[in-house]
């Protein structure tokens, strides 16, 4: 992690969990001793309406409290946003973008307005349906953000998330198991491209 830390911008649609993923990432980084911010861009959050959320993660105190205009990493939870939202706006050339899509990196690049940085794709639908039996993109996209940004070691992240899920879903062991499976499947899916 560089001195100013890392800045992440999330793009999703209301109800898909992009905001939850940003807050979970802040939470898990905080628990491992980092300075963090996780916040949504406030606006009318309607089901399916485009939303933006942000993270700042650093090993030093964070003194800035604005939106993030030049992120190091952009996470796109819904690929249909590529048609309507300029997801690469301000994204650093030495940064990266992760898109939830069944398409390959080569297939998705033409939709990225000439972005020259690193591009990663993850099929969060396939992973979450296999792991959880339904479509919740936020666990795979959260794991993808950690894998690509390297804000923490994989095992550290997995342990923290397990503790967090066990606290949150104490009465639903199958949900804990499904989410843990979704996280590890995502790391496995990205391993070769990192």
């Amino acid at each position: 992690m560089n001195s100013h830390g890392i800045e992440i911008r999330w793009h999703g649609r209301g109800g898909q969990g992009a905001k939850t993923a940003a807050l979970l990432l802040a939470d898990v980084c905080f628990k491992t001793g980092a300075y963090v911010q996780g916040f949504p861009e406030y606006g009318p959050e309607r089901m399916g309406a485009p939303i933006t959320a942000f993270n700042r993660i650093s090993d030093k105190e964070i003194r800035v409290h604005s939106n993030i205009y030049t992120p190091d990493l952009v996470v796109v939870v819904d690929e249909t946003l590529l048609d309507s939202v300029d997801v690469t706006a301000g994204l650093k050339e030495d940064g990266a973008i992760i898109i939830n899509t069944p398409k390959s990196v080569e297939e998705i690049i033409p939709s990225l307005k000439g972005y020259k940085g690193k591009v990663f794709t993850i099929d969060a639908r396939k992973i979450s349906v296999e792991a959880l039996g339904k479509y919740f993109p936020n666990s795979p996209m959260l794991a993808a953000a950690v894998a690509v940004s390297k804000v923490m070691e994989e095992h550290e992240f997995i342990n923290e998330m397990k503790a967090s899920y066990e606290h949150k879903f104490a009465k639903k062991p199958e949900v804990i198991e499904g989410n843990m499976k979704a996280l590890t499947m995502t790391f496995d899916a990205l391993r070769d491209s990192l």
Side-chain angles (χ1 to χ4, degrees), residues 18 23 30 34 38 69 72 92 95 120 140 142 160-161:
L23 297 173
F30 176 75
Y69 302 104
D72 302 286
K92 294 177 181 156
F120 298 90
L142 174 62
E160 286 297 336
M161 288 310 296

Side-chain angles (χ1 to χ4, degrees), residues 9-179:
R9 186 174 68 217
W10 299 77
H11 291 281
R13 291 186 183 278
Q16 287 177 334
K19 193 165 82 178
T20 307
L23 297 173
L24 262 174
L25 180 60
D27 191 45
V28 75
C29 289
F30 176 75
K31 285 183 179 144
T32 57
Y35 288 95
V36 295
Q37 290 178 350
F39 54 99
E41 186 167 62
Y42 288 99
E45 191 182 320
R46 296 180 307 281
M47 213 53 180
I51 64 139
T52 315
F54 304 92
N55 285 116
R56 277 192 184 91
I57 301 158
S58 178
D59 45 17
K60 297 188 172 48
E61 197 176 333
I62 302 169
R63 296 187 187 282
V64 55
H65 291 278
S66 61
N67 275 359
I68 290 171
Y69 302 104
T70 53
D72 302 286
L73 176 63
V74 166
V75 184
V76 182
V77 181
D78 186 324
E79 78 170 300
T80 64
L81 291 168
L82 297 179
D83 304 326
S84 55
V85 176
D86 184 1
V87 295
T88 58
L91 178 55
K92 294 177 181 156
E93 289 287 311
D94 62 352
I97 185 167
I98 308 167
I99 297 142
N100 171 12
T101 176
K103 295 178 181 144
S104 70
V105 169
E106 294 66 41
E107 290 173 293
I108 209 82
I109 282 178
S111 314
L112 297 180
K113 301 186 168 67
Y115 177 63
K116 303 271 189 295
K118 290 195 192 94
V119 178
F120 298 90
T121 57
I122 188 82
D123 191 344
R125 178 180 298 275
K126 185 171 159 237
I127 288 172
S128 88
V129 167
E130 194 177 316
L132 288 152
K134 43 183 170 288
Y135 181 43
F136 288 124
N138 60 347
S139 279
M141 297 314 286
L142 174 62
V146 170
V148 171
S149 67
K150 298 182 172 49
V151 288
M152 68 178 65
E153 293 293 326
E154 179 181 347
H155 68 271
E156 198 177 16
F157 170 70
I158 296 290
N159 291 342
E160 286 297 336
M161 288 310 296
K162 191 168 194 310
S164 169
Y165 287 142
E166 280 169 354
H167 177 70
K168 205 154 134 198
F169 303 114
K171 306 260 188 296
K172 299 180 184 167
E174 70 288 354
V175 176
I176 300 168
E177 205 175 307
N179 274 296

